[in-house]
Amino acid sequence: MRLVVARCSVDYTGRLTAHLPLAPRLLIVKADGSVLIHSDGGSYKPLNWMSPPCTLRTTTRSAEEAADDPEGAWIEQWDVLHDKSGDRLRVRVYETLEDTSHELGIDPGLQKDGIEAHLQVLLAENIETLGDGWSLVRREYGTAIGPVDILARDADGAAVAIEIKRRGEIDGVEQLTRYLELLNRDPLLAPVRGIFAAQAIKPQARVLAGDRGIDCVTLDYDALRGIDDVASRLF
């Protein structure tokens, strides 16, 4: 990755036309070929950019050559041409304040805490949080249309299918309804009731679940991990 802080102007031509007048900006050239222009505000969003696949060509000039140019004293010009659309990003650098390059290597990707897979594992390991005497039958219990997240048995030995979402919405209730329909065809399991579990459940999903005879449970991720002292809470 190349990071350049420079006084520059920027012109974009193609499906649209845009111009950024001369000002200090951060220019980023990534290993995938993309080029991004940032200001010191605007959060994460660049002022302008070119996504790959694209080709970057640079033209440099000496100070003497730049001084003789009636169009302006730019010392370096970047022409970024998109290989498919033909759009062009032109950056004219008038003064380079910083220019560094870094080899970042392959990024392992964002690992989100509290995603559905983590919640499934934690709830399976702490199935008793749903009630005393509960036991785990299996995670990812297979059906003809895919696996339900958890199959458990309550204190009375009745089968319970549990579908887990990070955010509980109507689609998740519909998904669990289909699982329950298939599971209740198995005489070794039936009757099977359902639990829709999530860190947050939308009101519409609660209403639909109640209409389908499905219980809703809000999961506390920190409590499942054992790092939330529930007893010390004021609320």
Side-chain angles (χ1 to χ4, degrees):
M1 178 181 290
R2 183 184 176 193
L3 305 174
V4 179
V5 179
R7 292 180 62 252
C8 64
S9 64
V10 183
D11 289 282
Y12 193 105
T13 56
R15 289 166 292 183
L16 57 84
T17 301
H19 174 70
L20 293 171
L22 183 63
R25 297 186 179 93
L26 169 64
L27 313 176
I28 301 176
V29 182
K30 294 187 177 181
D32 63 3
S34 56
V35 178
L36 303 94
I37 296 95
H38 282 271
S39 66
D40 205 12
S43 186
Y44 64 91
K45 188 175 181 180
L47 297 170
N48 216 324
W49 67 93
M50 183 70 79
S51 302
C54 57
T55 302
L56 169 62
R57 296 186 178 91
T58 59
T59 303
T60 58
R61 305 194 302 180
S62 66
E64 291 77 11
E65 291 173 320
D68 293 337
D69 188 344
E71 292 187 6
W74 57 269
I75 58 174
E76 185 175 354
Q77 179 172 288
W78 299 8
D79 284 301
V80 189
L81 182 66
H82 196 275
D83 296 342
K84 293 183 177 180
S85 67
D87 287 13
R88 182 185 299 273
L89 181 71
R90 172 169 288 176
V91 181
R92 284 186 167 177
V93 176
Y94 291 77
E95 181 184 6
T96 301
L97 306 175
E98 187 76 30
D99 189 346
T100 60
S101 295
H102 304 274
E103 182 62 47
L104 302 185
I106 299 175
D107 192 272
L110 178 65
Q111 298 179 352
K112 294 182 179 179
D113 211 12
I115 62 175
E116 292 168 16
H118 294 161
L119 292 169
Q120 183 191 123
V121 171
L122 288 170
L123 185 58
E125 292 175 348
N126 300 276
I127 198 68
E128 69 281 354
T129 59
L130 297 177
D132 294 335
W134 281 56
S135 60
L136 174 69
V137 176
R138 183 178 172 180
R139 288 175 48 216
E140 299 286 335
Y141 189 90
T143 75
I145 59 172
V148 66
D149 288 329
I150 291 177
L151 185 67
R153 290 193 180 274
D154 63 19
D156 298 323
V160 184
I162 306 167
E163 185 63 23
I164 300 170
K165 300 294 182 186
R166 191 165 179 264
R167 294 184 63 84
E169 300 184 2
I170 286 177
D171 288 348
V173 178
E174 295 283 7
Q175 182 181 2
L176 179 54
T177 300
R178 294 192 292 270
Y179 289 148
L180 289 170
E181 182 180 350
L182 291 172
L183 291 170
N184 274 300
R185 297 177 187 176
D186 186 343
L188 298 178
L189 293 176
V192 184
R193 66 185 179 95
I195 290 180
F196 187 53
Q199 288 181 284
I201 302 176
K202 289 192 172 181
Q204 300 92 329
R206 286 186 180 274
V207 171
L208 181 61
D211 185 67
R212 303 279 175 86
I214 296 171
D215 295 327
C216 290
V217 172
T218 302
L219 299 175
D220 187 324
Y221 183 64
D222 288 339
L224 287 173
R225 290 195 298 169
I227 64 173
D228 183 24
D229 185 3
V230 179
S232 66
R233 292 183 185 174
L234 292 176
F235 304 99

